[in-house]
Amino acid sequence: NAGVTQTPKFRVLKTGQSMTLLCAQDMNHEYMYWYRQDPGMGLRLIHYSVGEGTTAKGEVPDGYNVSRLKKQNFLLGLESAAPSQTSVYFCASSKRQATYEQYFGPGTRLTVT
Amino acid sequence: GQSLEQPSEVTAVEGAIVQINCTYQTSGFYGLSWYQQHDGGAPTFLSYNALDGLEETGRFSSFLSRSDSYGYLLLQELQMKDSASYFCAVSPSSGGSYIPTFGRGTSLIVHP
């Protein structure tokens, strides 16, 4: 099993550009999450999904959109990137019955200039 | 809402025992989790306490006291490879949400 994978690993964007981060998991987990991690701020939840076709806002959703068309995939979109969105983005997944144990992807390091 | 407090940094020497504390303010939650993250890596799950008391997993133990709104991660026989950041997280029980909230993390530095 590959676990949780993220594409791409690194990306540099100019302000105003758009992009989509892809997360895939092969563990048949119901729940999936997108976090951003900034120095000294820990992990902050952007959006999450409790199942295929469902999404919900987390702590810091502004400027991001998500979609969960297939159970194994969770996409994070930035429609108009801003320098404040420079961060490391982590995707995670968990079983519905065990949300306390999340499996994280390797992360995407995004820089917006 | 939920608020978790952790020390920002803890230092210790190889072979020693270190305790990383986590205090929280939340109206209710299912349990307390701990994650480890090495520099440049992804967080990995370490342990979970659903009930008060001590959970032991090899060199690592985790403790929870709901009455004191307090938990800790205990690392024994420290090794250099234990140098990492450690995060506590709670899964809130109010409103049926199962979404964890993470603390800001504690950077553990192990010296030879």
Side-chain angles (χ1 to χ4, degrees), chain B residues 8-24:
Chain B
S8 59
E9 186 177 291
V10 172
T11 60
V13 296
E14 207 172 4
I17 299 172
V18 72
Q19 179 174 311
I20 299 174
N21 298 324
C22 175
T23 58
Y24 56 86

Side-chain angles (χ1 to χ4, degrees), chain A residues 85-104:
Chain A
Q85 294 177 305
T86 293
S87 187
V88 180
Y89 291 85
F90 287 101
C91 175
S93 71
S94 70
K95 294 179 185 178
R96 177 176 54 84
Q97 305 89 337
T99 57
Y100 56 83
E101 182 177 358
Q102 295 189 12
Y103 293 79
F104 284 82

Side-chain angles (χ1 to χ4, degrees), chain B residues 30-74:
Chain B
Y30 287 111
L32 186 71
S33 303
W34 288 93
Y35 289 78
Q36 178 192 59
Q37 184 181 29
H38 286 99
D39 268 353
T44 56
F45 172 78
L46 285 178
S47 69
Y48 176 68
N49 291 73
L51 304 174
D52 282 8
L54 194 67
E55 293 283 341
E56 298 182 71
T57 308
R59 294 188 297 114
F60 294 2
S61 303
S62 56
F63 174 83
L64 175 64
S65 170
R66 290 176 184 267
S67 59
D68 296 322
S69 297
Y70 165 71
Y72 66 74
L73 181 69
L74 191 73

Side-chain angles (χ1 to χ4, degrees), chain A residues 31 33 35 37 40-43 45 48 90 99-102 104-106 109, chain B residues 33 35 37 40-45 48 87 91 97-100 102-104:
Chain A
Y31 281 35
Y33 318 79
Y35 293 91
Q37 186 174 38
M41 296 297 292
L43 291 156
L45 184 65
Y48 65 97
F90 287 101
T99 57
Y100 56 83
E101 182 177 358
Q102 295 189 12
F104 284 82
R109 189 172 296 275
Chain B
S33 303
Y35 289 78
Q37 184 181 29
T44 56
F45 172 78
Y48 176 68
F87 296 88
S91 299
S97 169
Y98 295 84
I99 305 306
F102 285 80
R104 296 191 174 193

Side-chain angles (χ1 to χ4, degrees), chain B residues 12-19 58-61 74-83 86 108 110-111:
Chain B
V13 296
E14 207 172 4
I17 299 172
V18 72
Q19 179 174 311
R59 294 188 297 114
F60 294 2
S61 303
L74 191 73
L75 296 84
Q76 303 181 71
E77 301 172 15
L78 278 175
Q79 301 176 10
M80 297 297 291
K81 67 179 182 179
D82 297 329
S83 291
Y86 293 84
L108 171 63
V110 180
H111 296 287

Side-chain angles (χ1 to χ4, degrees), chain A residues 4-37:
Chain A
V4 180
T5 58
Q6 292 183 232
T7 309
K9 289 186 169 51
F10 302 92
R11 186 71 186 269
V12 179
L13 288 179
K14 294 187 187 304
T15 297
Q17 288 185 319
S18 63
M19 77 164 295
T20 300
L21 282 69
L22 172 63
C23 175
Q25 52 94 5
D26 61 2
M27 297 173 283
N28 202 33
H29 285 171
E30 291 90 350
Y31 281 35
M32 296 188 75
Y33 318 79
W34 275 107
Y35 293 91
R36 60 177 290 171
Q37 186 174 38

